[in-house]
Amino acid sequence: MITVRDISDTARARTGPRAWWSDAVIYRVDVRAFDDSDGDGVGDLNGVRERLGYLELLGVDAVWMTGVLAGPVGKPGQAREVDPILGDLTSFDRLVAETHASGLRVAIDIAVTRHSAEQPEVHEELERTLRFWMDRGVDGFRLGAAPGMAHPADDATHRILRTARAVVGESPQRLIGALVREWSTSLGNLEALDVGLDLGFCAVRFQADAIRATVERVRSAAEQVGAVPVWGLADWDHPRPVTRLGGNTTGLARARAMALVQCALPGVIGVDNGNELGLPESASQDGMIAKSIRAPIPWEGAHAPFGFSDAPGNWSPIPDEWSELTVEAQLANPASTLSLYREALRIRHNHPAFSGDRVEWYGAPEGCLAFRRSGGNLVCALNTAPTPVPMPPGAVLLSSRPLDSEQLLPVDTAVWLV
């Protein structure tokens, strides 16, 4: 077992060349709901591999896959096996090789059972597991369900994160991250992280003051521990932004506006699969209770399951009205949400205005916000007020929906200017 270094050592180990993830766009793939290659109604690793061309077209930098492993660290051996319903190590290795050949990085979840984290053998198991997947080419890890991440910090969390940091730190440019619910209660532990996903941005109200307060809180906390924030608009605990922000055309307009705010911020951009298509939640009837679910990705065609699977009916419900939301339909529509995401990511990657790690806030009308990326001259403005507001000065790079005037920013709209 390695000797766990103290936090100051692990922090120093991260200094050096700028890390690949510092301003990366990471696309989360829920493997089971992405693409079914073998007709059993469940998405799988070969399905992800067959859709790598789509991820290249979208313009992301890395693929983060969830639910790949057979079990958590703490259940012997399971964390070094692929869930058999998704494939095997051969299909995993082929996916990693082709993902790298496409110029993309690969990250996966590794969970640690809560009850077993004060136990020394679990730390040894975690070391073996991390090295096992690094040897197979994995570029990053998210410590899912890590003890203490959702609660005040404790020694178990501290030791788990330091163990992971020490192992991952042996290989340059390997990423370690975790979900962060309360930065303020876990600062000592979080110094072991490269990136932290804060749920506040996934749940923030569509109100300018609330959005600004969340951005300021997350950035301040991340800076204290030297981590990079991950800006995500959805996770398992919160509905997709289209549904959460009002549903129908209002929710879609607001989700598109928040996507531009998200992509204008310095740090890691997390795109939950389906958000780039403007998908809402789909309803499922469980007895007498209607509940929201994440339907599989609609790829092509006019009828469900829209190319997701060849299995008749053996998949989560996909609404038939999603025919206009398929990847195929949106690629052909320059005004689609997919086209907006593609253009936003292209500009973010290539335009010199997207430089600098600081955010400078501008004065803005009530119900609006505006900030500038220091180091570049990008300005992002968002209108959450009930009426149009004056547009900040500058040339428009991109807007979340068409502008009727160069002087006014419409309701539920965001814009990039230089």
Side-chain angles (χ1 to χ4, degrees):
M1 182 176 181
I2 61 170
T3 301
V4 178
R5 299 170 289 180
D6 62 29
I7 288 296
S8 61
D9 289 337
T10 60
R12 282 194 295 272
R14 283 181 284 165
T15 62
R18 187 173 175 85
W20 64 263
W21 57 81
S22 57
D23 58 357
V25 178
I26 300 180
Y27 186 86
R28 185 185 80 86
V29 171
D30 177 359
V31 177
R32 287 169 175 75
F34 199 65
D35 187 77
D36 171 25
S37 70
D38 58 6
D40 65 355
V42 180
D44 47 54
L45 295 176
N46 284 333
V48 177
R49 180 177 55 79
E50 292 171 0
R51 298 293 184 177
L52 285 175
Y54 170 68
L55 301 184
E56 290 184 79
L57 194 68
L58 180 57
V60 301
D61 301 295
V63 181
W64 160 34
M65 294 183 292
T66 61
V68 172
L69 309 190
V73 174
K75 294 188 175 180
Q78 290 192 19
R80 296 191 296 279
E81 298 174 1
V82 170
D83 187 328
I85 199 170
L86 305 184
D88 53 26
L89 287 176
T90 299
S91 55
F92 182 88
D93 290 344
R94 186 178 178 189
L95 171 58
V96 171
E98 294 193 19
T99 303
H100 286 164
S102 299
L104 306 178
R105 310 266 186 166
V106 178
I108 60 173
D109 274 355
I110 290 185
V112 181
T113 56
R114 291 184 184 279
H115 69 276
S116 63
E118 308 301 356
Q119 299 177 19
E121 60 270 23
V122 171
H123 292 264
E124 296 177 4
E125 179 80 0
L126 178 59
E127 291 175 31
R128 287 195 297 270
T129 297
L130 289 168
R131 290 199 175 96
F132 177 85
W133 295 111
M134 286 194 296
D135 288 344
R136 306 195 93 88
V138 172
D139 302 289
F141 304 93
R142 191 200 75 136
L143 293 182
M149 280 294 96
H151 304 287
D154 55 28
D155 289 340
T157 305
H158 196 61
R159 295 197 64 219
I160 285 290
L161 292 182
R162 291 202 309 172
T163 296
R165 172 78 266 154
V167 175
V168 175
E170 294 174 356
S171 180
Q173 296 292 300
R174 286 270 171 64
L175 167 69
I176 182 169
L179 178 67
V180 180
R181 295 183 187 270
E182 292 293 339
W183 294 86
S184 61
T185 61
S186 306
L187 289 178
N189 293 328
L190 299 179
E191 289 182 355
L193 298 180
D194 295 308
V195 302
L197 174 59
D198 186 289
L199 295 181
F201 204 69
C202 299
V204 68
R205 303 184 306 279
F206 192 73
Q207 296 176 2
D209 289 346
I211 296 166
R212 174 172 174 170
T214 299
V215 170
E216 290 178 330
R217 176 185 61 79
V218 172
R219 283 187 51 77
S220 175
E223 287 174 1
Q224 290 185 58
V225 296
V228 178
V230 180
W231 306 107
L233 293 174
D235 78 324
W236 301 270
D237 297 327
H238 301 92
R240 293 192 185 280
V242 171
T243 298
R244 181 173 62 80
L245 297 177
N248 300 315
T249 56
T250 295
L252 179 59
R254 291 174 174 178
R256 287 166 62 104
M258 286 299 294
L260 289 201
V261 174
Q262 172 195 27
C263 291
L265 290 166
V268 178
I269 305 305
V271 179
D272 198 65
N273 60 194
N275 281 4
E276 79 281 9
L277 300 175
L279 299 183
E281 299 293 297
S282 57
S284 174
Q285 197 72 23
D286 184 10
M288 298 298 291
I289 301 174
K291 62 179 182 178
S292 291
I293 61 170
R294 292 283 171 88
I297 297 296
W299 293 101
E300 61 256 340
H303 303 286
F306 300 111
F308 164 73
S309 175
D310 292 332
N314 190 26
W315 27 263
S316 299
I318 308 176
D320 279 328
E321 57 267 28
W322 280 14
S323 60
E324 295 184 1
L325 298 179
T326 65
V327 171
E328 178 183 55
Q330 295 202 42
L331 284 175
N333 179 5
S336 70
T337 301
L338 177 57
S339 294
L340 176 70
Y341 264 86
R342 290 183 63 202
E343 183 65 1
L345 298 188
R346 184 191 68 79
I347 294 173
R348 177 182 166 92
H349 279 122
N350 297 307
H351 201 286
F354 286 78
S355 60
D357 295 328
R358 309 291 299 179
V359 170
E360 299 172 354
W361 297 98
Y362 278 69
E366 184 176 356
C368 304
L369 64 79
F371 63 85
R372 185 175 76 90
R373 286 278 294 268
S374 66
N377 60 347
L378 173 77
V379 173
C380 178
L382 169 70
N383 183 11
T384 70
T387 57
V389 299
M391 186 91 74
V396 174
L397 267 182
L398 187 64
S399 60
S400 61
R401 60 179 180 177
L403 303 176
D404 297 326
S405 162
E406 294 183 0
Q407 286 75 44
L408 293 177
L409 182 61
V411 174
D412 298 338
T413 303
V415 65
W416 290 349
L417 307 110
V418 291

